Amino acid sequence: DVQLVESGGALVQPGGSLRLSCEASGFTFSGYWMSWVRQGPGKGLEWLADISEDGSERNSGDSVKGRFTISRDNAKKSLYLQMNSLRVEDTAVYYCARSSGFNLWGQGTVVTVSA
Amino acid sequence: QAVLTQPSSLSASPGASASLTCTLRSDINVGTSRIYWYQQKPGSPPQYLLRYKSDSDKQQGSGVPSRFSGSKDASANAGILVISGLQSEDEGDYYCMIWHNSASVFGGGTKLTVL
């Protein structure tokens, strides 16, 4: 099956760090740009960052620039999001998605930032 | 002003057609933009519906019924998702997205109610 499976979500205190993972299967992972998108409670979708097929190019949104870092390991067919200096407002469901029009999404992993 | 603006809610009757609009900020030309549409139901990740730039540059998502279609209103600088023959299962949140300045940008979403 073609799928993306996120993991790593947790309850973390403000100022803390967390690393999310996304494992791909059923397609040629190394042939696609990949993205992270989040959705706060009762809110809309917010694109966070994307990364090129070989990891040489990255883009990120203003709300996470300097705090979150996207990376990938094509040998492991995995995408990562390193999140530092977490804030309460980072509480959300975090999705990984295939960037080709976001035509494939994972089920999401929940990150809760709270004291 | 937001890059993409969507009405927060829309109601329509079963069997009718619904037009969901996605208005681009005035400095972004809808005519040259590829607009992507997604459907999201509670507790589930977004699902890709379609992409529309023009009648010669469009793509339907895999398994997406043909009663979902895209169009544009150049005079309003807006992309439109048209859902014909509305069914109760079409209820949900709908998001548009464009690629702008090396970032993927989502609209705030429209909650569609079929009643």
Side-chain angles (χ1 to χ4, degrees):
Chain A
D1 277 0
V2 177
Q3 65 176 352
L4 298 168
V5 179
E6 302 95 336
S7 61
L11 170 63
V12 61
Q13 292 189 335
S17 297
L18 205 58
R19 188 196 198 204
L20 305 183
S21 299
C22 170
E23 187 169 346
S25 60
F27 68 99
T28 306
F29 178 73
S30 60
Y32 292 89
W33 279 70
M34 296 295 296
S35 288
W36 286 98
V37 177
R38 72 181 177 186
Q39 186 169 35
K43 297 188 177 180
L45 303 171
E46 180 187 12
W47 172 82
L48 299 178
D50 62 16
I51 187 168
S52 63
E53 296 94 331
D54 64 358
S56 61
E57 298 178 59
R58 309 176 195 198
N59 301 296
S60 61
D62 290 341
S63 65
V64 302
K65 205 163 287 188
R67 296 191 302 127
F68 292 9
T69 302
I70 190 171
S71 63
R72 66 191 297 162
D73 184 336
N74 285 341
K76 295 183 178 180
K77 299 182 180 180
S78 291
L79 178 73
Y80 306 103
L81 186 67
Q82 178 65 44
M83 304 187 295
N84 298 329
S85 304
L86 282 161
R87 306 167 180 167
V88 171
E89 55 265 35
D90 294 320
T91 294
V93 178
Y94 285 72
Y95 297 102
C96 66
R98 196 166 64 183
S99 295
S100 54
F102 297 101
N103 58 10
L104 180 65
W105 296 70
Q107 287 297 310
T109 189
V110 178
V111 174
T112 303
V113 185
S114 174
Chain B
Q1 186 183 7
V3 171
L4 300 175
T5 300
Q6 299 182 250
S8 58
S9 63
L10 180 68
S11 296
S13 300
S17 292
S19 294
L20 286 70
T21 59
C22 175
T23 304
L24 280 63
R25 196 174 61 198
S26 58
D27 64 320
I28 304 169
N29 185 354
V30 71
T32 57
S33 298
R34 271 183 173 174
I35 301 178
Y36 297 80
W37 289 93
Y38 307 87
Q39 177 193 64
Q40 187 179 32
K41 297 187 178 181
S44 295
Q47 297 287 322
Y48 172 66
L49 291 175
L50 58 88
R51 175 197 86 208
Y52 186 87
K53 181 177 181 180
S54 66
D55 285 345
S56 60
D57 183 351
K58 61 182 181 180
Q59 180 191 61
Q60 199 81 355
S62 176
V64 176
S66 58
R67 57 193 188 83
F68 290 82
S69 62
S71 68
K72 289 181 177 178
D73 181 348
S75 65
N77 204 38
I80 302 171
L81 174 68
V82 179
I83 311 172
S84 59
L86 276 168
Q87 302 176 3
S88 58
E89 67 202 50
D90 298 331
E91 278 203 346
D93 295 325
Y94 291 82
Y95 295 91
C96 59
M97 187 276 289
I98 65 169
W99 174 259
H100 178 64
N101 287 349
S102 298
S104 297
V105 182
F106 289 93
T110 296
K111 184 177 186 62
L112 175 65
T113 301
V114 180
L115 44 69

